């Protein structure tokens, strides 16, 4: 059995390193502005919600039974870091994770602490996600911005009046792209879904914004529209 890429955290200050990087970086001003705006809000305070980083190892092996399927999926999920409570902890994890070592079809999730990154989790059952197919050349920058916006409550703020919640984000490696997802709790609330889409597109750096066509296509899908959803929910009840 192959090992999964793990996190090796050092004692350097990730925020200080990030600001030093920004001061000499040739990245667009818009991206600097996004980071500075988020840092300005978060440096003195913890996140409103705590987050857990998960690794999901893909397997093509069929399960022989319901019990085996449940045990098999549990064996695929690993906690990389259990409690990301503030921006400094996030960057200790993010800056020290070997993102280039993630295997094809494996996934890294960042989810609210206490919510498992599976359809059948009680918080997820009635939800869905926006899925973005992002070219490999832009995928890491895209996921970085999506993760920051999610944990900083930039997405959650626009869903409050709909009583909806953004529960997590995921990045899954494909052959020439990544599938990057933003999960929300209410998959039947069209106003919430549209508001989340608009906020994602508006807040991303211009060079990362998807067009919705071709190699940068994106779409929304409820979890109960996926093959295997009903079986997964039934397994979770046993």
């Amino acid at each position: 059995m192959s090992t999964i890429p793990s996190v090796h955290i050092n004692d350097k200050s990730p925020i200080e390193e990030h600001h030093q990087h920004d001061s000499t970086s040739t990245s667009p001003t818009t991206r600097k502005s996004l980071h500075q705006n988020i840092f300005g809000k978060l440096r003195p305070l913890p996140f409103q919600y705590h987050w857990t980083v998960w690794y999901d190892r893909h397997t093509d092996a069929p399960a022989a039974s319901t019990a085996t399927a449940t045990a098999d999926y549990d064996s695929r999920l690993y906690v990389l870091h259990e409690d990301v409570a503030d921006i400094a902890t996030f960057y200790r994890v993010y800056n020290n994770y070997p993102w280039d070592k993630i295997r094809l079809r494996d996934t890294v999730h960042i989810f609210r602490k206490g919510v498992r990154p599976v359809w059948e989790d009680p918080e997820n059952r009635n939800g869905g996600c926006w899925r973005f197919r992002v070219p490999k050349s832009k995928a890491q920058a895209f996921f970085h911005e999506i993760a920051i916006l999610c944990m900083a409550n930039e997405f959650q703020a626009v869903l409050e009046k709909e009583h909806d919640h953004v529960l997590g984000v995921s990045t899954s490696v494909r052959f020439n792209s990544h599938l990057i997802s933003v999960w929300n709790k209410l998959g039947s609330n069209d106003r919430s879904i549209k508001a989340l889409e608009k906020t994602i597109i508006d807040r991303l750096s211009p060079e990362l914004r998807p067009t919705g066509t071709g190699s940068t296509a994106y779409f929304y899908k409820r979890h109960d529209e996926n093959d295997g959803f009903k079986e997964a929910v039934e397994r979770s009840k046993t």
Side-chain angles (χ1 to χ4, degrees):
M1 180 181 296
S2 60
T3 59
I4 65 169
S6 57
V7 179
H8 299 284
I9 296 177
N10 60 33
D11 294 327
K12 295 180 180 179
S13 169
I15 291 181
E16 181 180 346
E17 286 182 347
H18 189 76
H19 279 293
Q20 289 173 350
H21 174 75
D22 273 353
S23 66
T24 59
S25 173
T26 58
S27 60
T29 302
T30 51
R31 189 176 300 170
K32 289 184 185 178
S33 298
L34 167 69
H35 295 162
Q36 289 166 356
N37 183 37
I38 296 296
F39 288 140
K41 291 180 181 179
L42 294 177
R43 286 188 77 181
L45 300 170
F47 292 137
Q48 180 175 349
Y49 301 100
H50 289 212
W51 303 84
T52 298
V53 185
W54 300 79
Y55 192 96
D56 183 350
R57 185 171 56 196
H58 176 75
T59 177
D60 290 318
S65 66
T66 297
T68 302
T70 302
D72 177 67
Y73 195 82
D74 285 343
S75 72
R76 288 168 43 191
L77 276 176
Y78 298 84
V79 172
L80 295 175
H81 197 86
E82 186 174 8
D83 191 5
V84 178
D86 53 42
I87 194 72
T89 304
F90 168 73
Y91 272 109
R92 288 192 192 99
V93 175
Y94 184 88
N95 288 346
N96 290 284
Y97 191 71
W99 296 98
D100 59 334
K101 303 297 184 185
I102 301 174
R103 302 185 314 166
L104 187 67
R105 301 191 72 81
D106 283 4
T107 304
V108 172
H109 307 274
I110 302 176
F111 262 67
R112 283 194 194 178
K113 189 175 181 180
V115 180
R116 285 163 55 84
V118 294
W119 304 327
E120 61 269 26
D121 186 279
E123 292 293 300
N124 291 326
R125 286 180 189 173
N126 297 318
C129 61
W130 279 106
R131 293 181 180 175
F132 300 84
R133 187 173 294 277
V134 184
K136 280 188 179 293
S137 60
K138 296 182 177 182
Q140 197 57 47
F142 189 104
F143 183 67
H144 175 222
E145 291 197 7
I146 287 289
I148 289 290
L149 290 166
C150 177
M151 291 186 292
N153 255 29
E154 298 295 302
F155 296 154
Q156 184 58 43
V158 303
L159 302 187
E160 292 290 347
K161 64 181 180 181
E162 297 296 334
H163 306 289
D164 196 2
H165 292 270
V166 173
L167 298 172
V169 295
S170 307
T171 181
S172 184
V173 177
R174 296 298 190 265
F175 181 70
N176 58 4
S177 64
H178 286 208
L179 285 180
I180 296 177
S181 304
V182 181
W183 299 48
N184 73 307
K185 186 173 182 176
L186 300 180
S188 59
N189 188 326
D190 289 338
R191 291 189 302 273
S192 177
I193 291 167
K194 287 294 185 183
L196 180 57
E197 176 192 15
K198 183 178 187 303
T199 304
I200 293 170
I201 303 304
D202 287 350
R203 296 305 307 275
L204 280 170
S205 296
E207 71 276 11
L208 297 178
R209 290 172 186 164
T211 63
T213 60
S215 63
T216 59
Y218 68 96
F219 58 94
Y220 187 85
K221 191 171 186 177
R222 296 195 318 270
H223 301 320
D224 62 11
E225 295 176 311
N226 288 286
D227 293 339
F229 172 82
K230 291 182 180 179
E231 292 80 0
V233 171
E234 288 303 314
R235 287 199 304 267
S236 71
K237 296 177 181 178
T238 59

